[in-house]
Amino acid sequence: MAIFEQKICTRATLPQRVADLPQPVVLTNGVFDILHRGHVTYLAQARELGASLVVAVNTDASVKRLGKGDDRPLNTLADRMAVLAALESVSLVVEFDEDTALEVVQEARPDIYAKGGDYVMSEIPEGKAVIAYGGKAVAIDFAHDRSTTRLVAKIRQYGG
Ligand SMILES: Nc1ncnc2c1ncn2[C@@H]1O[C@H](COP(=O)(O)OP(=O)(O)OP(=O)(O)O)[C@@H](O)[C@H]1O
Ligand SMILES: O=P(O)(O)O[C@@H]1O[C@H]([C@H](O)CO)[C@@H](O)[C@H](O)[C@@H]1O
């Protein structure tokens, strides 16, 4: 196992692993199917909001329920988590199988919850939960116009 894979933790150990991190802790969540420049810039900015960054990653079954396409995710949960764990900005990676990361937020109780600017914090369950217990919810503006879905379409167009 590569050393960075030690950043991957189970749901059962999440509260203790979060408590052991340098504080304050930022948490975000998402699919992160094919990592692109938008993602890595966004993750670096999220990490800068605090001293540690936890990334909660959708399981393959929960990605299917999001309706991004029958063939998504292209990368398995294990691969998506390993790639995220290898990033300098990321402190801890955990999976979640629910439709939203609300329960993960409630278990980890981060000081700050971050999401890309395509979400309105006061409208999503994770954002509402963090605000309710006195934490901060931050929407980070897109610095680069990129998307995994568009990358996949481009590869298919030129892939023959
Ligand atoms: N270009 C971008 N700039 C900044 N943040 C982004 C960008 N693309 C996605 N994000 C953020 O990264 C997280 C994971 O996004 P996601 O995996 O849905 O990326 P995506 O490229 O939009 O994927 P898809 O095209 O499959 O929907 C989300 O919090 C989202 O807000
Ligand atoms: O990568 P995505 O599609 O931005 O990630 C989704 O974010 C949703 C968001 O947190 C609003 O609740 C979440 O519900 C969904 O499970 C994906 O993580």
Side-chain angles (χ1 to χ4, degrees), residues 105-142:
V105 165
Q106 288 166 336
E107 288 159 25
R109 288 185 68 96
D111 303 283
I112 302 136
Y113 174 74
K115 200 66 190 156
D118 47 340
Y119 289 92
V120 178
M121 288 301 139
S122 56
E123 288 178 2
I124 60 175
E126 301 93 334
K128 287 183 194 166
V130 174
I131 293 163
Y133 66 68
K136 276 195 230 163
V138 181
I140 298 175
D141 286 342
F142 276 34

Side-chain angles (χ1 to χ4, degrees), residues 29-32 39 56-58 62 66 68 96 98-102 113 115-116 118-119 124-126:
N29 60 281
V31 175
F32 302 100
H39 288 141
V57 186
N58 291 83
S62 78
L66 291 175
K68 288 179 191 265
F96 71 99
E98 297 89 345
D99 287 344
T100 76
L102 174 63
Y113 174 74
K115 200 66 190 156
D118 47 340
Y119 289 92
I124 60 175
E126 301 93 334

